Amino acid sequence: MTANRRPLIAGNWKMNGRGDDGLVLALQLAERMKAKKGATFDILVCPPFTLIYGVGQALDDSGVGLGAQDCHAIESGAYTGDVSAAMLADLGCAYVIVGHSERRAGHAEINSLVRAKAEAAHAAGLIAIICIGETEAERDAGKTLDVVKDQLSGSLPDGAGAANTVVAYEPVWAIGTGRTPTNDEVQEVHAFIRAELTARFGPSEAQGLRILYGGSMNPNNARELLALSDVDGGLIGGASLRCEDFWSIAQSCP
Ligand code: 13P
């Protein structure tokens, strides 16, 4: 983290939360945020589609942001079951996650589709949180940086910049497993991502663009991870479902 980037703590609720439990969590977070004077971090939650409206109402003007977990690449039309970025903006979302590894793996999402979704997000005025990260087999084969480079160049649209894009580095093998890379390994990949962003978008955009770490971040390891110079926040799954844990991670921002 450096002074010119404001930390971003984002909760990805995945396919969790029904009715009251999601709303209670949102209300608890909103209360914490309202009571916090002069927060030096940005915080947001990405509930499932079904809860976005209610969570948005619960968050009100607390300062906790609202996002979604996916969007379609096209604005409207005959796409049964899909939700467009414009619809999410309509609901009050400011962010949308695209290219999460669970969608790449479970819905065969390839880089070009992720890129099209990020473009749709930008067109709707949303900030795209674009996820990348290697599998365990790729890491074991020494291909981590190659995979990250390929996903970055294929998934980020040309119009990406600090104002409309966040990159989330999530090693697939660290998601939901309780395992994380070492701090040195995380910093190595994040610095590599920033160098790639610098080469493509120029130093000013790359210096402002936030790169989040995701994968088993929790209250015990957050402080060390968030202190790394090219880690600008976290994308948190499991621990974002408990107000206490999620808030504690946010409090760990330098
Ligand atoms: P966990 O924090 O549960 O490992 O999930 C990380 C993630 O996939 C966030 O998008």
Side-chain angles (χ1 to χ4, degrees):
M1 188 71 235
T2 66
N4 59 341
R5 295 185 294 272
R6 190 173 160 90
L8 172 63
I9 300 298
N12 175 7
W13 292 6
K14 307 192 179 184
M15 197 171 70
N16 294 293
R18 284 200 240 166
D20 286 352
D21 51 355
L23 300 186
V24 166
L25 178 54
L27 284 169
Q28 288 171 336
L29 281 171
E31 266 173 40
R32 300 264 179 145
M33 195 60 180
K34 277 185 191 158
K36 171 112 188 147
K37 300 272 179 274
T40 53
F41 53 84
D42 293 333
I43 186 166
L44 81 127
V45 294
C46 301
F49 288 133
T50 50
L51 286 181
I52 290 176
Y53 178 77
V55 166
Q57 300 284 304
L59 295 176
D60 194 21
D61 59 354
S62 61
V64 179
L66 186 62
Q69 300 171 19
D70 182 41
C71 66
H72 196 270
I74 291 176
E75 196 178 328
S76 63
Y79 300 98
T80 303
D82 282 311
V83 175
S84 75
M87 291 169 170
L88 298 173
D90 230 16
L91 279 175
C93 287
Y95 295 83
V96 61
I97 297 168
V98 293
H100 192 283
S101 61
E102 287 153 13
R103 294 207 61 86
R104 290 179 186 261
H107 297 264
E109 294 199 3
I110 56 173
N111 287 333
S112 56
L113 178 62
V114 175
R115 179 186 180 124
K117 289 183 174 198
E119 277 168 350
H122 293 162
L126 300 179
I127 297 172
I129 302 177
I130 305 176
C131 301
I132 57 171
E134 82 287 359
T135 63
E136 183 154 35
E138 288 163 344
R139 176 161 283 262
D140 289 347
K143 292 187 183 148
T144 297
L145 298 184
D146 292 339
V147 169
V148 162
K149 183 183 172 90
D150 185 57
Q151 289 182 335
L152 265 182
S153 70
S155 306
L156 266 65
D158 289 337
N164 63 12
T165 301
V166 172
V167 172
Y169 168 58
E170 300 203 307
V172 179
W173 53 275
I175 295 176
T177 59
R179 298 161 57 206
T180 58
T182 64
N183 293 338
D184 285 351
E185 287 167 342
V186 171
Q187 172 54 26
E188 181 196 13
V189 177
H190 279 237
F192 175 78
I193 292 170
R194 197 164 319 275
E196 290 292 306
L197 295 173
T198 304
R200 182 162 167 203
F201 299 106
S204 148
E205 291 299 333
Q207 279 306 312
L209 215 148
R210 292 182 285 190
I211 307 172
L212 311 184
Y213 170 78
S216 297
M217 190 182 271
N218 62 47
N220 296 323
N221 61 21
R223 191 167 297 280
E224 282 188 9
L225 287 164
L226 294 169
L228 299 171
S229 57
D230 284 295
V231 173
D232 308 312
L235 182 54
I236 297 119
S240 74
L241 296 171
R242 294 176 295 273
C243 180
E244 203 61 45
D245 287 354
F246 191 50
W247 189 251
S248 157
I249 292 171
Q251 298 300 302
S252 305
C253 288

